[in-house]
Amino acid sequence: MRAVATWIDKVHDRDKVEQCIYDLAFKPDGSQLIVAAGNRVLVYDTSDGTLIQPLKGHKDTVYCVAYAKDGKRFASGSADKSIIIWTSKLEGILKYTHNDSIQCVAYNPVTHQLASCSSGDFGLWSPEQKSVSKHKVSSKITCCGWTNDGQYLALGMMNGVVSIRNKNGEEKVKIERPGGSSSPVWSIAWNPSKDEHNDILAVADWGQKLSFYQLSGKQIGKDRTLTYDPCCVSYFSKGEYIVMCGSDKQASLYTKDGVRLGTIGEQNSWVWTCRVKPDSNYVVLGCQDGTIAFFQLIFSTVHGLYKDRYAYRDSMADVIVQHLITEQKVRIKCRELVKKIAIYRNRLAIQLPEKILIYELYSDDSSDMHYRIKEKICRKFECNLLVVCSQHIILCQEKRLQCLSFTSVKEKEWLMESLIRYIKVIGGPPGREGLLVGLKNGAILKIFVDNPFAITLLKQSTSVRCLDMSTSRNKLAVVDEHNTCLVYDIHTKELLFQEPNANSVAWNTQCEDMLCFSGSGYLNIKASNFPVHQQKLQGFVVGYNGSKIFCLHVYSMSAVEVPQSAPMYQYLERKMFKEAYQIACLGVTDNDWRDLATEALEGLDFDTAKKAFIRVRDLRYLELINSIEERKKRGESDNEVFLADVYANQGKFHEAAKLYKRTGLDARALSMYTDLRMFDYAKEFVGVADPKNSRLLMSKQADWAKNSKEPRAAAEMYLTAGEHLKAIDIIGEHGWADMLIDLARKLDKAEREPLAKCAFYFKKLKHHGYASETYTKMGDLQALVQLHVEARHWDEAFSLAEKHTQFKDDVYVPYAQWLAENDRFEEAQKAFHKAGRQSEAVKVLEQLTHNAVVESRFNDAAYYYWMLSMQCLDIARESDDQKDEMLKKFSRFQHLAELYHVYHSIQRYTDEPFSSHMPETLFNISRFLLHNLTKDVPLGISKVNTLYALAKQSRALGAFKLARHAYEKLQELHVPSRFQESMELGSLTVRSKPFHDSEDLVPMCYRCSTNNPLLNSQGSVCINCKQPFIYSASSYEVLPLVQFYLEEGISDEEAVSLIDLEVPQLDKKAARWQEMSSGESQSLKLDDDMEDPEQDPFTSKVSFEQGGSDFVPVKVSHGALRSMSRRDVLIKRWPRPLKWEYFRSLMPDVSITMCPSCFQMFHSEDYELLVLQSCCCPYCRRPIDEPN
C-alpha cells in the first residue's frame, strides 16, 4: 500500500498565524471538503484543493463540522457556543446556541436529525421541529456518532464513558473504559458496512487503546494498544479499513479488526482529524499547524497462481484461495499485513511483516480447498519476489536468489548478473523443482533447486517481462519490455516467431502447439505458426488450460471459456486432421466437430472422421465409415470409389456419378439416381442408346411414383401404364372421388376387380351415389342392397327388396335392428314382422310390454299386449303346429290388454293429483277390474289402488254398502302409508252412512232383465242367465248388447247376407196398437202378433227363462237372421282361425260404435270425443284416417 499526496494546503489567518484544523467533513458525493479552521469554515474542491469559499459566522474557534447524508445541508459548531446550519449552496439558514462551547456535531443518517454536543449537555434538532431538545450530561462530551439505522446515538466523554442513547436522548447502554477519567474517550466511529450482523463501534481513548464494542455494550476482542494518543478514528465507506491519527504526527491505516497496515503521510505536528472520501481510496488529514493534506491510497495486487489455483490478498490482512475451475473460494485470516503470496501444487506461502507461514492441503484431492499450517518461519525478510516449492521457499531480492528450507535454513544462493524481473516454478520432482528466471538484461535462465549452478537457456537483447515454457519443455515464450511476444525453440535457440502487443503469455497445458497472449484489450490465440486469432478481452492472461483461459483484470481472476474453433480451422485448411482433432478436443462447438468430421472424411482420414462423428452421434456416417473399413479389409483399395460413396452420402451426387463412371461402376451411379428419383439425370446418364436400361428406368419411375410425395402424378403414370388396380389404390387412399368416378365410368363392366375396388373406395369415402352407380354397372345386386343398408338408405333398399324378394331378409332384418338400436321399438317390431321374423317381433314386443309395466306406463302396456295378441293370431294362422298354443296366448294377451287399459285410469287416479274421469266411470272401472282379478293379479296392477278407488267412488256415488265392503277388504291388505290415514278415516266415517247402495247404480242384465249386485262373485256375467256383460271400453257401463251364435250349417258370409236383407214390411192392418189397462197402470202395446214365433225369433230366444246353473247361448236360425235389421247387429270380424262374433242391440236407440281393428265397443259420443282428442282409437291406436 502506498500513499500519494494529491494536494496539500496550509491555512493561515490574515496575520499569517497558523490556524489549527480541528475537524473535516466530506459532502456525501465527495466533491467538496468542509474544513473547521480557526473561526472560519472553509469549503474546498476535493479534485484539486482549490478553496471555493470561506464561510464567516462564528466569533470563536470552530471545533466541529458535519454534513447531512442527503447532501442538502451541513452544520458547524464553535467555541462561541453556537451552531450554524448551512445549505449545500453555502448559505447560513439557522443558528442556535448551548450554554457551553460546542465539542462535536453529528447528523442522523436516516432522519437527518442533528445532534450537537457541548461540555455540559447535548441537543437534538430536526428541520421539522422549531425547538431543540437538550439533555444534561455529567461529563464533557468529546465525540458523538449515530448508528447506521439512525436509532441510537453514541457519546464519548472525558471521564472515559461511552453513553449510547436512543433518539429521544434516553440512555440505553453505558460503556465504562477501564482507565476512567485518566483515559478520556477522544474519538468514536460506527462501522458503516452492511455485511456485518451487528452494529460495531470503534472507540479510541487517550489511554492509547483502540477497542471495538457491539451495540449491547459487549466488547469484541481485546483492546488494541496504540503508541500514541488517538485524535480521530474514521472508517472507509464500506467499512473494510480504519484510518486513525493523533499525537504521532501521522495517520495510519488499520484493518477493520484494528491490525495496523501502514502509514499515510507523516506530518510536522499533531494530526487532529482524518476523513476518508466517500466510496474511494482518498484520505484527507487536518493538522495542528494548519496543514490540510489530501492523499490517494494505492493498494498493490499481491497474488500467486499455479495451474487452476489462484491466491490473492483481500483487505490487506486476509488471503483468499480460489479454484478457477470449480469457482470454490476459501479465506485464510492472517490478522497481519500480507506482504507476499506464493502457491505451488499443494503448498501456499504467505509472507507477513515478521514471519512467513507455509500452508499445505489436507488431502491430494484436486478439488480439496482446506489448508492447514505446515511450518512457520519466524524471521523478517526483505524481498521483491517470493516463490514456494514442495520443500523450499525461494526469496528474490534484486539480483540475489536465496533458497531456504521450511526450517529457515539457507540451502542455496544464486547471484545474477542483472536484476531479476520474473520468476516461475515449472515443476519437477519434490526437492528438485526447476525455476524459470527472466532478467532485466534479457537473459533467461533455468535453475534447479538442488543445483547451485544456473543454466542459461538463451539471451536476448531486451528485458524480460513475462515467461512461460510449453508442456513438453521444447518451446519458450517470452514477453519483453517492448510488449513483443517471442517464441523460441529451447534446443536450437532459434526464434520461431514473434507477435506484437503482448503484456503476458501462457502456453496451453493440454496442447503443445497452442499459446495465448494478451495486450491492448485483446486476447490472441496462436496455434503452430498459423496467423493469430483475436478476440476482445480486458486484463492479463495468466494461464491456459484446455479451452479455459485464466485472466486477471484489476483484482479479480476469471476463467474465460474460449472456443478453439479458429485454430482448428487453420489446421483443417492444411489437411492436418490429427492436429485439428487434438484442438477440437479442447472445446469446440458441435458444428465445428461436424466440419472436422466432414473434412477428415473427404480427406479419407477415416480414423479421425470416425472419432469426430462419434462426438456428434451421426450414425449415418458412422455406418458409411464402417462399411468402407469392412471393404478395405476385404481387399478393396480404390480410394476414388470410397470418395464417390462419401460424396453420394453428402448429397454431391454429380461428383459421385463422375467418380463412379471413371471407375467403371456405371450401374452404381444409375441405381443412385433412381433411388433418389432423379430420373431426368438418370436418363441423361444412360443416354438414348440402351433400351433395356430405359425400360428399367420406366418401371422404377412408376414404383417411385407410388411411394413419392406426388401421388396424383403417380396415379396418372399407373393409368397410362395400364396398371388400373395400383392407380385405383392410390386414388382411393387419397380420396379423389372425381378422378375415381371418371375411371370407373371408363372401365368396361367386364373388368369386375377394378370396378369392385372403385366401389369399395366409394363406400369408404361415403360417396354412396357413386358406389351405387358402380355396383349397378357391375350388376351386383347383393352388394347394392348391402350398400343401401350400410348407408341407411332404407327407401332405396325397400324398393329393391320389393322388386327382388330374395333380398327381403337382407333389408328388413337390419332395418328392424337399426330401429331397435334407435329406440324406435314399435317400428322395429313391425319391420321384424314384415321380414317374417315373427319370433324376433314377439321378443321385441314382450320386452317393450315388460318395460312399460315396470315403468307404470299401463296404457302402453295395454297397447303392446293387444299387438302381441294380434301377432299370436298371425302366427296361429300361418303355423298349424303352434295354432293351439298361439290361440291360448291370444286370449290371454287380449285379457291382459283390457286389464292394463282399465288399470291405467286407476293408477292415474291414485298417483296423480287430478283425474279426468267421471266418478261413475272410475266406479265402473274399479268394479270391472275386481271382477277380473279373482284368480291371479298381473304384474304392476295393485289391488289396493283398485279397492281404494272403489271405496272413494262408491262413497261419493252413494253405494255405502259397497264402500264398507271395499274398506273391509283393504284392511286385509298391506296399504301404503300415503293411503293409511285417508283409508282409516274413510272406513270410520262410512259407518255413519246407511247400510245399502243407491238403486240408480245397480246394473241390469239386458237379456233376462235381472238386477245384478254391484260386486258379483261370479265375475262379469249375469247371476241369473249367466250371459256375459258387454262393456263400453271408455265408461265401462254395461251395453244393451246380447251375443248370439249361428246354428249349424250357416256360414258367416250367408249370415251377413241374410242380415243385410231388408226387413219385410208388415201389413198395416196387421200391425196395430193395443191399449191395455189394469189397475192404476196404463200401457200402449204394439201388437205384432207375438203368438207367431216367426215374427221375431230372436226375442223369444232371449227371453227364454233360465233357472239352471249353465249358460245357454242364444242360437239363431235363418229366419231369425232374416228378421234382424243390419243397424241392430254388430259383428266382430276376427281373422282366421277365429270365428266371427255377432251381437244384437236390444236398444236400437242407444248408438254404439265398434273399432274396426280391435273390435272394442263404445258409446258413439264417447268414441267420437276420444278420437278427436288423440286422432286414433284409444285402445288399439288405429289412426282415424286409416281405411278399415
Side-chain angles (χ1 to χ4, degrees), residues 283-453:
V283 176
V284 65
L285 314 179
C287 307
Q288 173 76 38
D289 63 4
T291 303
I292 302 168
F294 197 74
F295 291 97
Q296 181 185 7
L297 302 190
I298 297 166
F299 297 98
S300 55
T301 310
V302 174
H303 60 147
L305 172 87
Y306 181 76
K307 290 197 173 163
D308 46 19
R309 281 172 198 267
Y310 175 61
Y312 60 95
R313 180 172 73 180
D314 186 58
S315 303
M316 306 292 282
D318 293 354
V319 174
I320 292 179
V321 184
Q322 176 184 356
H323 196 295
L324 297 173
I325 307 291
T326 64
E327 295 292 331
Q328 283 176 288
K329 286 184 178 180
V330 63
R331 180 184 290 271
I332 297 170
K333 292 198 170 198
C334 299
R335 306 195 197 286
E336 282 187 74
L337 175 65
V338 172
K339 297 182 77 172
K340 294 278 183 291
I341 299 173
I343 188 166
Y344 173 73
R345 288 192 183 156
N346 61 346
R347 296 276 186 269
L348 171 68
I350 302 173
Q351 185 188 6
L352 304 174
E354 304 292 331
K355 59 189 168 196
I356 293 177
L357 301 177
I358 314 287
Y359 289 83
E360 71 173 355
L361 280 173
Y362 270 78
S363 69
D364 296 333
D365 181 7
S366 62
S367 60
D368 182 27
M369 294 294 284
H370 296 86
Y371 285 89
R372 61 180 171 202
I373 291 186
K374 180 176 171 62
E375 299 287 350
K376 283 185 188 174
I377 302 175
C378 297
R379 271 175 58 192
K380 186 173 180 178
F381 294 100
E382 280 302 325
C383 68
N384 304 349
L385 298 167
L386 173 72
V387 174
V388 67
C389 299
S390 305
Q391 295 163 11
H392 302 88
I393 54 169
I394 317 287
L395 303 174
C396 161
Q397 181 61 31
E398 295 187 340
K399 297 181 183 180
R400 185 186 306 278
L401 270 183
Q402 290 183 336
C403 173
L404 278 77
S405 70
F406 290 163
T407 53
S408 145
V409 175
K410 185 164 89 174
E411 294 190 354
K412 305 266 187 316
E413 183 171 288
W414 300 269
L415 196 63
M416 304 296 154
E417 59 207 36
S418 169
L419 288 176
I420 297 168
R421 294 292 299 273
Y422 190 87
I423 183 165
K424 183 176 190 173
V425 187
I426 51 168
R432 291 161 53 199
E433 287 89 356
L435 306 176
L436 204 56
V437 181
L439 305 184
K440 189 176 180 183
N441 66 0
I444 296 161
L445 303 105
K446 196 173 181 182
I447 293 174
F448 289 99
V449 174
D450 59 343
N451 186 341
F453 302 104

Side-chain angles (χ1 to χ4, degrees), residues 61-79:
T61 310
V62 179
Y63 283 148
C64 50
V65 286
Y67 220 117
K69 194 82 184 275
D70 60 2
K72 288 179 180 171
R73 46 178 79 86
F74 61 93
S76 57
S78 159

Side-chain angles (χ1 to χ4, degrees), residues 847-901:
Q847 187 60 48
L848 277 175
T849 312
H850 179 74
N851 292 352
V853 170
V854 169
E855 292 164 17
S856 300
R857 293 183 291 107
F858 296 110
N859 55 342
D860 288 349
Y863 170 58
Y864 294 144
Y865 269 127
W866 177 78
M867 292 220 339
L868 262 175
S869 68
M870 297 314 281
Q871 272 180 19
C872 291
L873 200 55
D874 287 350
I875 297 169
R877 183 167 63 250
E878 286 162 17
S879 154
D880 287 343
D881 308 347
Q882 295 174 285
K883 182 173 168 183
D884 294 344
E885 185 200 339
M886 284 299 158
L887 286 176
K888 267 186 207 158
K889 271 192 173 182
F890 165 77
S891 53
R892 185 169 139 258
F893 289 155
Q894 281 274 322
H895 177 61
L896 282 172
E898 192 153 20
L899 290 188
Y900 281 120
H901 178 68

Side-chain angles (χ1 to χ4, degrees), residues 31 73 122 223 304 312 341 452 469 528 595 664 732 778 824 888 951 983 1080:
S31 61
R73 46 178 79 86
F122 70 95
D223 292 344
Y312 60 95
I341 299 173
M469 192 183 272
S528 186
D595 290 348
M778 290 165 67
R824 290 161 61 180
K888 267 186 207 158
M983 189 201 86
E1080 289 116 34

Side-chain angles (χ1 to χ4, degrees), residues 1061-1079:
L1061 288 174
E1062 280 299 315
V1063 178
Q1065 286 290 318
L1066 294 172
D1067 184 4
K1068 286 283 171 47
K1069 290 173 192 157
R1072 59 195 177 278
W1073 290 96
Q1074 283 187 349
E1075 188 173 332
M1076 299 170 74
S1077 62
S1078 67

